């Protein structure tokens, strides 16, 4: 249901943009978000955006990361700037999707995309 892309190796201070497209039986998409996880730690919320485009960010990324969505493409983006080594993680997208057949809302995770930041 969710396909993430855009991860890679980047130098500290540089930028990277992640994308996550939803596909399948979609009536509407509610909240979309990006999480990240490093080995040995819990997955943490990086940024979220509602269907009304209200955004929230983890304190550690405020002012550096920007989340946005394109509803026509069922896609959420995470623009990451001024990357730091501590931003390195596997990034996962998540979306709450209302199925167009059953009209129920379920949460889905993308497969994860690895971001590596070299110092």
């Amino acid at each position: 249901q969710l396909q993430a892309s855009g991860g890679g190796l980047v130098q500290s201070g540089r930028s990277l943009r992640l994308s996550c497209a939803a596909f399948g039986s979609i009536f509407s998409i509610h909240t979309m978000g990006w999480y990240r996880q490093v080995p040995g730690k819990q997955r943490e919320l990086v940024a979220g955006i509602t269907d009304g485009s209200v955004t929230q960010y983890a304190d550690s990324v405020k002012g550096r990361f920007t989340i946005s969505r394109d509803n026509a493409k069922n896609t959420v983006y995470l623009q990451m700037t001024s990357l730091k080594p501590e931003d390195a993680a596997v990034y996962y997208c998540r979306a709450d999707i209302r199925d167009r057949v059953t009209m129920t809302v379920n949460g889905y995770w993308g497969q994860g995309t690895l971001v590596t930041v070299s110092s």
Side-chain angles (χ1 to χ4, degrees):
Q1 286 274 32
L2 295 176
Q3 180 68 48
S5 60
L9 171 64
V10 65
Q11 286 186 324
S12 180
R14 303 298 292 269
S15 300
L16 206 59
R17 189 175 86 151
L18 306 181
S19 301
C20 177
F23 54 92
S25 180
I26 299 171
F27 178 81
S28 61
I29 303 177
H30 301 279
T31 300
M32 307 181 83
W34 287 96
Y35 293 71
R36 66 187 180 189
Q37 188 171 26
V38 296
K41 292 191 175 182
Q42 286 190 331
R43 192 172 296 186
E44 64 172 358
L45 174 68
V46 176
I49 184 167
T50 69
D51 50 3
S53 295
V54 175
T55 59
Q56 68 172 118
Y57 296 93
D59 288 342
S60 59
V61 307
K62 282 180 181 177
R64 300 188 297 120
F65 291 12
T66 302
I67 189 170
S68 60
R69 60 191 287 170
D70 184 332
N71 293 325
K73 296 181 178 179
N74 292 331
T75 299
V76 63
Y77 304 96
L78 185 68
Q79 179 68 48
M80 304 184 292
T81 64
S82 302
L83 281 160
K84 304 175 181 179
E86 52 263 42
D87 293 318
V90 177
Y91 283 71
Y92 298 90
C93 58
R94 189 185 186 283
D96 293 322
I97 300 174
R98 185 177 298 278
D99 187 278
R100 62 182 171 87
V101 175
T102 66
M103 296 303 282
T104 57
V105 178
N106 292 293
Y108 296 91
W109 290 94
Q111 83 282 15
T113 184
L114 178 64
V115 172
T116 304
V117 183
S118 63
S119 57

